[in-house]
Amino acid sequence: MNEFFRGRRLRRTPALRALIRENEVRPQDLIMPYFVVETDDASFKKPIASMPGQFQLGPKALEETVAKAVDQGLMSVLLFGIPKVKDEKASQAYADEGVVQEAVRRLKDRFPELVVVTDVCLCEYTSHGHCGLLRGEEILNDPTVELLAKAALSHARAGADIVAPSDMMDGRVAAIRDTLDENGFTDIPIMSYAVKYASAFYGPFRDAAESAPAFGDRKTHQMDPANRREALREAEADAAEGADILMVKPGLPYLDILRDLSDSFDLPVAVYNVSGEYSMVKAAAANGWIDEKRIVLETLTAFKRAGADLILTYHAEDALGWLDK
Ligand code: PB1
């Protein structure tokens, strides 16, 4: 007489649980973001107050930090740049000798196998902290897209393996694809921040990258957190324009969107576990309120369960030490 489901039968031992485990985080799923600073002090290393455990790094310090992480099994990094000089046209975003371009050269030289992804946006390079060119207080779309394409091209020339536009201007994936192709970079993939919400969870990042907007917000280009179907329209547009990987951002508060994208597209889907998500975990862990390792591994597993193929996370270095390898 089999009256009820005995789910506990397969949970009885660690080996049985492992046997039926459906999702697993692998070292190669993780991409670690780094903030590289243009400075004469190559070994510059400054803790980011709102992101415990993360640093603004000079070029040499970046190389050393990455060397340690690569030893731990890190396979991919994402680079954000903090230039010495910011201006209204974000000139350093597309300068061939810019901070990110130089960092890419340095990392690819030392670690040819490492996947180096570059963030393509203007907000870290504009004097006003907005993601594009301004007319008054309006962020102009099409002239910004031209500069984004130039930035992506300069990253590809420096040796980037993947370019990742995070600006949320319309039409930028197509423009970047055309520019890369016209210049012989047909093999460089675009990881598009296709579905990026106007989120309070980016707060600590703006400290880290010194990129908070001087006035206003990003709500005319980033998405309204209330919208779900619009996410599919954004992702469809980017896929049609030639995106190779689609990203959802932030992560944990948007797992439903991640699942939608993973069900609806046959492209790889990435999720960005953003700064605010990271800092909340660090703060609670520092107070002894949560078990950091278990929280992080559970969170990363939740991304895989919701359909993520790749995970961008500031926990990557730590997680590599915690994963079963
Ligand atoms: O970790 C984070 O919070 C990431 C923030 C993100 C990076 N792609 C953007 C945040 C923002 O909108 O200010 C910056 C985009 N260039």
Side-chain angles (χ1 to χ4, degrees):
M1 197 50 76
N2 195 4
E3 280 160 9
F4 51 84
F5 167 60
R6 289 199 183 268
R8 294 184 61 190
R9 276 186 200 127
L10 289 174
R11 288 179 214 135
R12 199 168 48 81
T13 68
L16 280 170
R17 294 193 290 274
L19 196 63
I20 61 152
R21 185 157 300 135
E22 298 176 33
N23 293 287
E24 192 172 22
V25 182
R26 308 167 308 164
Q28 61 266 42
D29 300 329
L30 303 176
I31 304 179
M32 175 77 195
Y34 291 103
F35 300 96
V36 55
V37 186
E38 187 177 13
T39 160
D40 298 329
D41 172 12
S43 301
F44 178 86
K45 185 170 180 183
K46 183 173 163 213
I48 298 165
S50 55
M51 297 177 71
Q54 303 301 311
F55 299 86
Q56 290 184 339
L57 299 163
K60 180 85 190 133
L62 171 72
E63 187 184 328
E64 280 159 16
T65 306
V66 170
K68 282 195 203 118
V70 165
D71 271 353
Q72 284 278 305
L74 185 70
M75 296 170 80
S76 308
V77 300
L78 168 67
L79 297 182
F80 293 100
I82 306 166
K84 259 190 195 161
V85 180
K86 305 190 184 213
D87 60 26
E88 296 205 340
K89 297 181 300 184
S91 312
Q92 289 305 307
Y94 39 90
D96 278 325
E97 315 297 316
V99 57
V100 157
Q101 292 80 353
E102 293 287 14
V104 170
R105 280 187 203 100
R106 183 184 268 268
L107 290 184
K108 289 304 292 185
D109 196 41
R110 167 104 182 254
F111 314 102
E113 309 287 312
L114 182 73
V115 177
V116 176
V117 187
T118 54
D119 181 79
V120 178
C121 190
L122 304 188
C123 63
E124 294 113 47
Y125 303 91
T126 50
S127 39
H128 42 68
H130 279 290
C131 305
L133 295 174
L134 298 181
R135 183 170 53 210
E137 297 209 346
E138 182 195 352
I139 301 162
L140 300 173
N141 195 86
D142 298 13
T144 298
V145 165
E146 280 178 37
L147 298 186
L148 294 165
K150 278 175 72 169
L153 177 59
S154 70
H155 296 174
R157 282 198 177 119
D161 294 290
I162 301 179
V163 292
S166 68
D167 52 283
M168 287 294 277
M169 296 298 123
D170 295 326
R172 90 280 207 214
V173 173
I176 291 173
R177 187 69 274 156
D178 284 350
T179 302
L180 291 177
D181 291 353
E182 281 158 16
N183 287 276
F185 293 104
T186 49
D187 287 341
I188 299 300
I190 299 175
M191 173 157 69
S192 164
Y193 292 64
V195 181
K196 178 175 178 182
Y197 287 92
S199 171
F201 284 89
Y202 308 143
F205 174 95
R206 293 180 187 171
D207 269 1
E210 300 172 5
S211 64
F215 61 87
D217 53 39
R218 308 217 201 283
K219 290 181 183 165
T220 69
H221 48 107
Q222 299 179 351
M223 280 180 53
D224 182 340
N227 293 356
R228 176 178 173 200
R229 281 173 297 154
E230 188 187 354
L232 293 176
R233 294 202 292 279
E234 282 288 352
E236 263 155 35
D238 284 13
E241 288 179 33
D244 299 279
I245 301 173
L246 299 170
M247 193 200 294
V248 174
K249 179 182 176 183
L252 219 39
Y254 297 89
L255 288 186
D256 55 335
I257 309 297
L258 184 56
R259 169 49 60 198
D260 283 345
L261 251 69
S262 151
D263 282 350
S264 309
F265 292 88
D266 51 13
L267 292 172
V269 176
V271 65
Y272 200 138
N273 178 215
V274 303
S275 57
E277 299 172 66
Y278 171 85
S279 300
M280 292 195 307
V281 169
K282 293 304 264 190
N287 276 293
W289 296 336
I290 56 168
D291 176 335
E292 180 177 355
K293 173 179 167 181
R294 290 191 57 208
I295 291 270
V296 168
L297 292 177
E298 185 174 333
T299 301
L300 300 180
T301 304
F303 292 138
K304 295 291 290 194
R305 195 191 62 235
D309 298 292
L310 339 170
I311 306 169
L312 298 107
T313 178
Y314 304 97
H315 296 292
E317 283 180 3
D318 290 335
L320 284 167
W322 296 332
L323 294 174
D324 301 327
K325 277 182 251 172

